[in-house]
């Protein structure tokens, strides 16, 4: 099995080509073509919800695929919009709902909502990215998390933004060796604990984000080591894979620690 660092590098070195391959997939192309041909014809929330293919495409594009069954909830979300502080979108802890309501802003734009970039080209680009991440996740969840973090990092402005996103939290916990059990602690404690390891302002710096991803990739491979990912050097000495850390991983992590996060 290719290491998380290696696979991530292969994908991101030429992201344009990587996405082009996804776009050429017959299923992806069929759904994308249908969406492009249909979305602008939809003028109301009810029409949007009723068209199952368009609705599921949009939900997947904005990271809400698992909630595609909750049409009543999404209908209420879209009809209330995001203007009022009391709207559902502004009350939900998961920021993806608000992002979705802003992207398909029927409440604010009416029939023109489906002509906005966020509902057309933006949605298609996000769908391709989501598909890429999901496909990579089938072979290595670490690669999926690294790609997700790269995409979302700059949008996070508070520590609560990390705690509200399970995937981001998993990334940070893995990167700094924070036990998952820490998530059961008092919320204020969780915030203070995360801030000991990470300054969210660093997420606005692409170089620091890449450094965090390097460290995450090394930690992920260390925590999920198998005989396929172990260093050939160790196999020469007949080391048990249960030891969980190859020499190259130890060297990588040591360098990252010395360099800071």
């Amino acid at each position: 099995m290719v290491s998380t660092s290696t696979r991530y590098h292969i994908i991101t070195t030429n992201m344009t080509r990587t996405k082009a391959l996804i776009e050429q997939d017959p299923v992806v192309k069929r759904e994308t073509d249908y969406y492009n041909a249909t979305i602008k014809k939809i003028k109301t929330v009810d029409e949007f919800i009723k068209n199952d293919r368009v609705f599921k495409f949009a939900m997947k594009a904005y990271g809400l695929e698992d909630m595609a069954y909750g049409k009543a909830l999404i209908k209420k979300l879209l009809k209330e919009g995001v203007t009022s502080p009391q709207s559902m979108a502004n009350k939900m802890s998961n920021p993806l709902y608000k992002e979705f309501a802003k992207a398909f802003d029927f409440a604010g734009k009416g029939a023109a909502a489906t002509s906005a970039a966020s509902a057309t080209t933006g949605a298609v680009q996000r769908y391709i990215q989501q598909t890429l991440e999901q496909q990579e996740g089938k072979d290595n969840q670490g690669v999926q998390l690294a790609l997700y973090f790269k995409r979302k990092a700059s949008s996070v402005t508070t520590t609560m933004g990390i705690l509200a996103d399970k995937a981001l939290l998993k990334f940070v916990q893995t990167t700094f060796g924070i036990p998952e059990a820490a998530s059961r602690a008092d919320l204020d404690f969780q915030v203070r604990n995360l801030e000991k390891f990470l300054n969210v302002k660093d997420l606005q710096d692409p170089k620091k984000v890449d450094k965090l991803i390097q460290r995450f990739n090394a930690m992920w491979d260390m925590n999920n080591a198998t005989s396929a990912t172990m260093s050939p050097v160790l196999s020469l000495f007949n080391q048990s894979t249960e030891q969980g850390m190859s020499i190259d991983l130890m060297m990588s992590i040591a360098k990252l620690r010395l360099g800071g996060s």
Side-chain angles (χ1 to χ4, degrees):
M1 179 180 176
V2 177
S3 73
T4 303
S5 296
T6 300
R7 182 59 185 166
Y8 177 82
H9 179 73
I10 291 172
I11 294 168
T12 57
T13 297
N14 193 340
M15 185 60 83
T16 300
R17 180 178 179 276
T18 300
K19 289 185 176 180
L21 293 174
I22 297 293
E23 291 170 358
Q24 292 167 13
D25 178 88
V27 174
V28 173
K29 188 176 186 307
R30 183 172 64 248
E31 292 307 307
T32 301
D33 287 347
Y34 178 81
Y35 183 85
N36 282 330
T38 310
I39 185 61
K40 290 184 180 180
K41 298 176 183 177
I42 293 173
K43 303 300 180 184
T44 68
V45 173
D46 289 336
E47 290 176 4
F48 180 66
I49 298 293
K50 186 176 181 180
N51 190 313
D52 203 52
R53 285 178 72 180
V54 167
F55 178 70
K56 287 183 176 179
F57 186 101
M59 290 287 280
K60 177 176 179 177
Y62 281 87
L64 293 170
E65 184 177 14
D66 292 344
M67 286 299 297
Y69 69 88
K71 289 189 173 183
L73 181 147
I74 300 301
K75 183 176 180 179
K76 179 176 173 60
L77 182 86
L78 294 177
K79 288 195 170 184
E80 290 185 4
V82 297
T83 303
S84 171
Q86 300 304 313
S87 67
M88 178 185 291
N90 287 317
K91 287 185 173 182
M92 299 185 80
S93 60
N94 187 337
L96 292 178
Y97 289 102
K98 183 175 181 178
E99 194 173 359
F100 187 80
K102 289 176 68 176
F104 297 91
D105 189 15
F106 288 97
K109 298 176 180 177
T114 53
S115 294
S118 57
T120 53
T121 54
V124 170
Q125 290 169 3
R126 285 171 174 264
Y127 182 89
I128 299 301
Q129 180 69 30
Q130 287 282 352
T131 302
L132 165 63
E133 292 174 15
Q134 289 177 3
Q135 287 187 2
E136 290 301 322
K138 292 177 182 178
D139 294 325
N140 186 333
Q141 189 188 12
V143 176
Q144 182 178 11
L145 286 168
L147 290 170
Y148 181 80
F149 182 79
K150 177 70 171 179
R151 173 165 61 88
K152 297 289 290 186
S154 63
S155 67
V156 179
T157 57
T158 66
T159 305
M160 282 298 298
I162 296 174
L163 291 173
D165 188 314
K166 291 182 180 179
L168 290 179
L169 181 58
K170 176 70 173 177
F171 178 97
V172 173
Q173 288 176 332
T174 301
T175 301
F176 297 105
I178 303 171
E180 290 186 7
S183 298
R184 295 195 292 268
D186 175 82
L187 191 59
D188 289 339
F189 174 83
Q190 290 186 56
V191 170
R192 291 195 302 272
N193 190 44
L194 281 184
E195 289 175 348
K196 292 177 182 178
F197 296 95
L198 177 68
N199 184 343
V200 291
K201 291 182 180 179
D202 289 346
L203 302 185
Q204 306 303 313
D205 185 336
K207 291 183 179 180
K208 290 184 177 181
V209 168
D210 287 340
K211 191 74 172 179
L212 285 168
I213 292 173
Q214 289 175 30
R215 178 167 177 163
F216 166 82
N217 289 340
M219 291 294 291
W220 181 271
D221 283 341
M222 182 190 76
N223 294 335
N224 297 276
T226 66
S227 58
T229 60
M230 293 293 286
S231 167
V233 176
L234 286 186
S235 65
L236 292 175
F237 293 95
N238 196 31
Q239 295 279 5
S240 167
T241 60
E242 291 179 0
Q243 285 181 278
M245 188 184 297
S246 63
I247 289 175
D248 53 347
L249 279 175
M250 287 190 288
M251 292 292 290
S252 297
I253 294 169
K255 289 178 181 177
L256 289 172
R257 283 175 177 165
L258 289 172
S261 59

